[in-house]
Amino acid sequence: MKYSIGHVRAGIAALLVLFAMVSYELSGFVQRAEAIPAFARKYDFKCNVCHVPGFPKLNDFGNLFRDRGYQLGSDADSPVYEGIGMGYWPVSLRTTVGYQAANVRTDGSGVTTGGFGFTGLDLLSFGTLDRNLAFGVVFTPGLGSAGFGTGASDGDLEAAFVRLMRLERFLGVKSASGDYLLNLKVGKFELDLPFSEKRSPTLNTTFAMYHYMPGTPYTATIGGTSTSSYLNPNTFAIGENQPGAELSGIKKTTGTDGYFRYSFSALATNSFSGPLSGCASGTTCGTGGRNVNFYGHVTQSFGGYGIVTGQRIGLFGAYGTAPTLVNPTCPTCQAVAGSGQPFSRLGVDVSLTLNGEWNLFGAWMWGNDSKNMFVSQGIADAQNASWNGAFVELDYAPALLPFFEMPDWFFAYRYDLIRNNRQGDPTFAKNYNNVDSHTVLVRYFIHHSTRTDLALHAEYNSYRTTGVGTNGGDLLGQTMLVGFDFAY
């Protein structure tokens, strides 16, 4: 059975009516107990101390708490502080259960799925080892079935890092209260993105420009249709957690009544997994290499942090090389470090707020991959691949929903786009792999306390990827998800 756009939209409309009716009934029973839950347990916080109005999006205070190494600057920062209750458990878990329907089609054929299921499971632990010594670990266990029927998954440490805070004190610099000028993070971690994908309220839909790769058709949630592509050894994506080291800092700027932030990361290339030239047929060749790539992000806010109050502007970019040549003396070893070919990313981001309830934010990024990457894949007359990516999102978290006068609602709309300027393989059309994606969501926070969180979530995404079919047709996809998102 195929879902037409009309059918899915009608279904969404009916579900949202039911959504509103159920949440209205539940609102009378929700305690106004307003921080992964591990932090809520440690500090005896209510969830909306750090979130908008509940998990996962951080508010201004939550972002500052994260930037300062999960510290309030009090005795309670110590993990052995005697005031921490016996109910403190430094680990949280999160998953989503519900119903998902998705379809993708191109050149007259497609794939459709639908049914009840669950997403993968995240086990999270963040906190302090001691004053100014922070850590973070995110473990995603292997599951025999997850992702609403997409099959088994492998276990992995999505993140694992230690962060040393206020290193300026060893240089004889005394920071003002609330300022953390020089902090070092080492391990595997999420880059300091314009807007954190890990804290995005969208559960099914990634930020397209964070993961876009020239030559690989963009899809979301499910794939399986026949598409055309060309080889690109560059698998670097700013939205993927990266192994490396990061220097960062945050300082209150009295002249703007805001904050200046910076981060600079040196990233290992050993996790690269792109196709390499020189690999014999039937051989599982090693990937990665020993080069270092770089990523940086600076922001300045005015009148607040720029998520709930005030405005914020930023500049970010990445530069590095992607290995292209297999090690001829040891094909199963890492790639030849000197074979790396350059790529670059450069972008700007903006966040605007209104009345403490509206947040309009977005980013634009230009990307370029060297033509030598495509030469290494045997592509004739290869050229630099260049493209522009962008997104804009509007979030609305009313203190009380108008007319219904109900708290704990959250609404969002996001538009993602990719526009290609030039393809690495000149036989592909300039607009090949252009993307237009629309996402709308509604969340109602049924319960949030110092221990647990539960939200009713409805999300719909529709996207078009231009000219990627084997016959040159567009790829069309859409996903609907209605479920319960919970954390403990």
Side-chain angles (χ1 to χ4, degrees):
M1 176 181 178
K2 293 185 178 180
Y3 296 97
S4 70
I5 292 178
H7 286 153
V8 173
R9 287 176 177 170
I12 283 286
L15 284 167
L16 289 181
V17 171
L18 178 62
F19 197 82
M21 293 174 64
V22 170
S23 58
Y24 182 80
E25 292 298 320
L26 288 170
S27 66
F29 301 97
V30 174
Q31 295 181 349
R32 291 300 296 139
E34 315 304 301
I36 60 177
F39 291 137
R41 289 188 285 271
K42 177 178 179 180
Y43 291 100
D44 197 28
F45 278 169
K46 307 306 182 185
C47 283
N48 67 357
V49 171
C50 289
H51 292 280
V52 184
F55 80 108
K57 182 177 179 179
L58 294 173
N59 59 24
D60 290 2
F61 180 85
N63 277 288
L64 287 169
F65 179 70
R66 179 201 60 191
D67 290 344
R68 292 165 176 167
Y70 318 116
Q71 299 181 108
L72 297 178
S74 68
D75 291 340
D77 293 332
S78 171
V80 295
Y81 174 58
E82 62 183 10
I84 295 177
M86 292 300 292
Y88 172 53
W89 185 43
V91 178
S92 297
L93 59 86
R94 182 189 178 192
T95 190
T96 304
V97 297
Y99 182 86
Q100 176 179 272
N103 71 77
V104 60
R105 62 189 186 278
T106 185
D107 292 335
S109 63
V111 176
T112 299
T113 67
F116 290 93
F118 62 97
T119 63
L121 176 67
D122 284 340
L123 300 176
L124 312 99
S125 183
F126 294 85
T128 54
L129 300 171
D130 199 357
R131 181 68 58 83
N132 291 321
L133 296 177
F135 76 94
V137 175
V138 179
F139 176 58
T140 53
L143 301 172
S145 61
F148 294 91
T150 58
S153 61
D154 295 328
D156 192 17
L157 272 181
E158 183 178 324
F161 63 84
V162 170
R163 193 176 183 203
L164 312 180
M165 309 299 297
R166 279 188 164 168
L167 295 180
E168 66 269 18
R169 66 187 188 276
F170 297 112
L171 302 176
V173 177
K174 185 177 181 180
S175 305
S177 176
D179 290 350
Y180 289 73
L181 304 181
L182 189 63
N183 314 297
L184 175 65
K185 181 190 295 184
V186 179
K188 183 181 180 183
F189 47 85
E190 181 187 25
L191 299 181
D192 182 28
L193 300 174
F195 304 95
S196 170
E197 194 168 61
K198 310 302 181 186
R199 292 296 183 180
S200 171
T202 56
L203 302 181
N204 264 342
T205 313
T206 61
F207 292 78
M209 78 174 200
Y210 285 178
H211 302 274
Y212 183 76
M213 296 179 187
T216 301
Y218 170 85
T219 60
T221 309
I222 63 169
T225 60
S226 180
T227 55
S228 60
S229 64
Y230 59 88
L231 296 178
N232 183 352
N234 184 17
T235 60
F236 178 83
I238 65 172
E240 301 294 333
N241 285 13
Q242 303 285 342
E246 176 193 81
L247 280 176
S248 64
I250 181 170
K251 177 178 176 54
K252 177 76 173 180
T253 52
T254 55
T256 67
D257 190 27
Y259 298 89
F260 172 78
R261 301 175 63 258
Y262 77 90
S263 68
F264 179 76
S265 300
L267 309 171
T269 63
N270 56 288
S271 61
F272 270 69
S273 59
L276 302 176
S277 63
C279 183
S281 176
T283 303
T284 303
C285 293
T287 58
R290 294 195 304 163
N291 288 348
V292 178
N293 295 332
F294 302 96
Y295 174 84
H297 185 207
V298 295
T299 66
Q300 176 66 62
S301 63
F302 306 83
Y305 191 91
I307 300 299
V308 175
T309 60
Q311 328 303 329
R312 195 186 79 176
I313 57 174
L315 177 68
F316 64 98
Y319 179 82
T321 60
T324 60
L325 181 64
V326 70
N327 189 329
T329 60
C330 180
T332 59
C333 299
Q334 289 188 335
V336 177
S339 71
Q341 298 299 332
F343 65 87
S344 55
R345 308 285 186 262
L346 183 64
V348 294
D349 57 275
V350 178
S351 179
L352 308 173
T353 69
L354 176 65
N355 197 36
E357 297 181 341
W358 297 88
N359 182 202
L360 176 66
F361 58 92
W364 167 88
M365 183 175 76
W366 170 80
N368 186 78
D369 288 358
S370 167
K371 70 176 184 179
N372 292 327
M373 292 186 187
F374 310 104
V375 169
S376 74
Q377 306 304 310
I379 295 175
D381 299 320
Q383 56 190 8
N384 290 354
S386 64
W387 51 277
N388 295 286
F391 67 85
V392 60
E393 178 169 326
L394 178 63
D395 292 351
Y396 176 46
L400 290 175
L401 188 67
F403 182 72
F404 293 101
E405 295 189 355
M406 295 165 52
D408 299 322
W409 283 81
F410 183 90
F411 304 85
Y413 165 77
R414 189 172 81 236
Y415 172 56
D416 292 82
L417 70 85
I418 300 291
R419 292 294 182 268
N420 287 276
N421 301 318
R422 188 169 54 242
Q423 301 292 339
D425 186 336
T427 64
F428 284 72
K430 177 182 176 180
N431 67 347
Y432 166 85
N433 216 7
N434 284 356
V435 178
D436 292 276
S437 174
H438 303 270
T439 307
V440 293
L441 72 87
V442 180
R443 282 173 74 88
Y444 178 70
F445 292 91
I446 298 172
H447 170 77
H448 43 170
S449 69
T450 59
R451 294 292 184 272
T452 56
D453 300 272
L454 177 64
L456 184 58
H457 182 99
E459 180 178 338
Y460 173 74
N461 170 251
S462 175
Y463 67 93
R464 176 188 298 270
T465 308
T466 303
V468 298
T470 53
N471 294 325
D474 295 346
L475 184 149
L476 303 173
Q478 51 190 330
T479 305
M480 176 190 70
L481 168 66
V482 178
F484 294 98
D485 187 18
F486 69 92
Y488 177 78

